[in-house]
């Protein structure tokens, strides 16, 4: 079968790999119909993880079940399913608590496993024609409709970025009426904005520097903030000040609440310096978050922080150790949430919002490609050029490369 593998820094390859076979009675074999290229795949592409050469990548996967082991009872061949990027056993302590992002048994190295990702266990990725699904009853989400229908893109985004964006809003304690700022308008940041709107936030600001991304943020009803126009935190302070009805209803002391209730870091450790965008400054976004959030507010960290990082500047940052204003955190009495999303906690409900027309995550999708175009798409997505917001690989009948400027 054809699959995308990591070769070396800035080099992905499309090659022939053995088609997976069932290894256990609880496995299923999935024929992939659509697979996403994720912003977090770029950390591997950039040589910023300890990934082995030749690893088949891809953790955003949907398709049609081709074969099931004799121990699988609720999923049948022919079923249309999407997989949470977290691979979970369903029977350990954390899985029982709904914390499938920290499953204790699937990854021999740490808590939490995923398809085709550095440090997340020995699982083949899904930027491939077929993928093996462990514990298929637990890990497959059944979908209505047919392969390639109008929901195909929306459903694919249930594998990671939509539940991840929603989880960011949960981590930041977004509730009806709250004010929210999101740093980073990549796919996760945009769907965190969509989720914040679904959760009833009163104001949602989205900070980025790429025009296409800021435009998508506006399409979801958020207020775009362009880093090129100056300090993004000062811009949001100024925008909030202009909201006269809100300002006129203030009581004394509320000038200390000039920021927002909820902030989300949807950038992670490859953040850029606001004053020198060509340079990385890993703590830039978290520093902005702490300046902007109101006292007693919430910080949701959904952007990835990874170690080891062979591309980092010094010994400490190679291990993911950075200097961070803890006193500010304590002084403002903030609550911080972080980590990967437990996709299974949300994916059924988010699927039903899609089916009932209340959510449309696929607005973020910019390109559909064939698997052969994947190496080039990684390059363009990495360089943030040609409007590459979110790229989906289509398998099966429509193998022709097609760029749809959605
Ligand atoms: Zn992803
Ligand atoms: Zn488990």
């Amino acid at each position: 079968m054809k699959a995308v593998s990591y070769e070396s820094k800035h080099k992905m390859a499309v090659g022939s790999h053995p088609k997976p076979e069932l290894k256990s009675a609880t496995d299923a074999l999935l024929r992939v119909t659509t697979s996403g290229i994720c912003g977090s795949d770029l950390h591997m592409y950039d040589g910023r993880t300890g990934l082995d050469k030749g690893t088949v990548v891809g953790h955003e996967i949907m398709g049609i079940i081709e074969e099931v082991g004799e121990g699988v009872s609720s999923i049948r061949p022919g079923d249309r399913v999407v997989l949470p990027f977290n691979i979970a056993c369903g029977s350990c302590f954390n899985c029982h608590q709904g914390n499938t992002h920290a499953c204790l048994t699937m990854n021999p190295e740490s808590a939490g496993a995923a398809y085709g990702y550095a440090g997340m266990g020995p699982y083949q990725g899904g930027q491939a024609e077929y993928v093996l699904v462990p514990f298929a009853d637990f890990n497959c989400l059944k979908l209505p409709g047919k392969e390639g229908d109008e929901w195909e893109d929306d459903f694919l985004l249930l594998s990671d970025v939509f539940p991840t964006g929603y989880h960011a809003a949960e981590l930041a304690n977004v509730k009806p009426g709250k004010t929210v700022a999101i740093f980073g308008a990549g796919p996760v940041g945009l769907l965190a904005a969509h989720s914040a709107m679904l959760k009833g936030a009163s104001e949602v600001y989205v900070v980025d520097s790429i025009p296409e991304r800021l435009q998508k943020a506006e399409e979801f009803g958020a207020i775009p903030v362009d880093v090129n126009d100056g300090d993004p935190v000062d811009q949001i302070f100024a925008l909030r000040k202009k909201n006269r009805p809100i300002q006129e209803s203030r009581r004394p002391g509320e000038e200390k609440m000039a920021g927002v209730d909820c902030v989300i870091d949807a950038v992670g450790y490859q953040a850029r310096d606001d004053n020198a965008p060509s340079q990385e400054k890993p703590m830039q976004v978290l520093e902005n978050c702490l300046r902007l959030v109101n006292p007693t507010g919430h910080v949701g960290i959904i952007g990835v922080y990874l170690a080891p990082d062979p591309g980092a500047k010094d010994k400490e940052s190679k291990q993911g150790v950075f200097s961070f204003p803890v006193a500010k955190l304590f002084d403002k009495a903030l609550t911080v949430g972080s980590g990967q999303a437990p996709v299974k906690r949300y994916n059924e409900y988010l699927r039903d919002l899609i089916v009932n027309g209340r959510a449309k995550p696929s607005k973020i999708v910019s390109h559909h490609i064939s698997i052969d175009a994947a190496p080039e798409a990684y390059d363009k997505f990495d360089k943030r050029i040609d409007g590459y917001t979110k790229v989906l690989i289509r398998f099966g009948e429509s193998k022709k490369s097609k760029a749809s400027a959605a």
Side-chain angles (χ1 to χ4, degrees), residues 339-353:
Q340 293 183 351
V343 170
K344 263 185 81 74
R345 198 183 293 169
Y346 313 114
N347 63 2
E348 299 199 64
Y349 297 113
L350 296 178
R351 173 196 63 196
D352 296 350
L353 283 173

Side-chain angles (χ1 to χ4, degrees), residues 217-241:
E218 220 169 350
E219 284 172 31
F220 282 117
I223 303 156
V225 176
D226 188 341
V227 180
N228 299 309
D229 296 340
D231 182 297
V233 175
D234 289 341
Q235 286 191 64
I236 295 172
F237 284 144
L239 285 164
R240 292 225 62 221
K241 227 177 192 168

Side-chain angles (χ1 to χ4, degrees), residues 17 19 111 135 184 200 204 216 244 259-260 271 276 314 324 348 373 393:
H17 294 256
K19 183 175 166 182
F135 296 107
V204 179
K216 298 261 185 197
R244 294 291 296 277
V260 295
D314 51 64
F324 179 75
E348 299 199 64
I393 302 172

Side-chain angles (χ1 to χ4, degrees), residues 72-84:
V72 176
S73 59
S74 64
I75 297 294
R76 308 314 311 162
D79 282 351
R80 183 190 203 193
V81 302
V82 60
L83 309 178

Side-chain angles (χ1 to χ4, degrees), residues 13-89:
V14 177
S16 179
H17 294 256
K19 183 175 166 182
E21 285 172 10
L22 300 188
K23 283 188 244 165
S24 140
T26 50
D27 287 346
L29 180 67
L30 183 76
R31 174 174 65 80
V32 180
T33 56
T34 302
S35 179
I37 300 179
C38 184
S40 61
D41 290 332
L42 296 178
H43 302 306
M44 299 189 286
Y45 177 74
D46 286 337
R48 300 293 291 270
T49 65
L51 190 69
D52 291 336
K53 175 181 155 62
T55 304
V56 174
V57 297
H59 57 267
E60 302 184 350
I61 312 161
M62 71 181 289
I64 308 289
I65 295 289
E66 185 150 294
E67 195 185 340
V68 297
E70 57 195 22
V72 176
S73 59
S74 64
I75 297 294
R76 308 314 311 162
D79 282 351
R80 183 190 203 193
V81 302
V82 60
L83 309 178
F85 76 87
N86 323 110
I87 305 176
C89 71

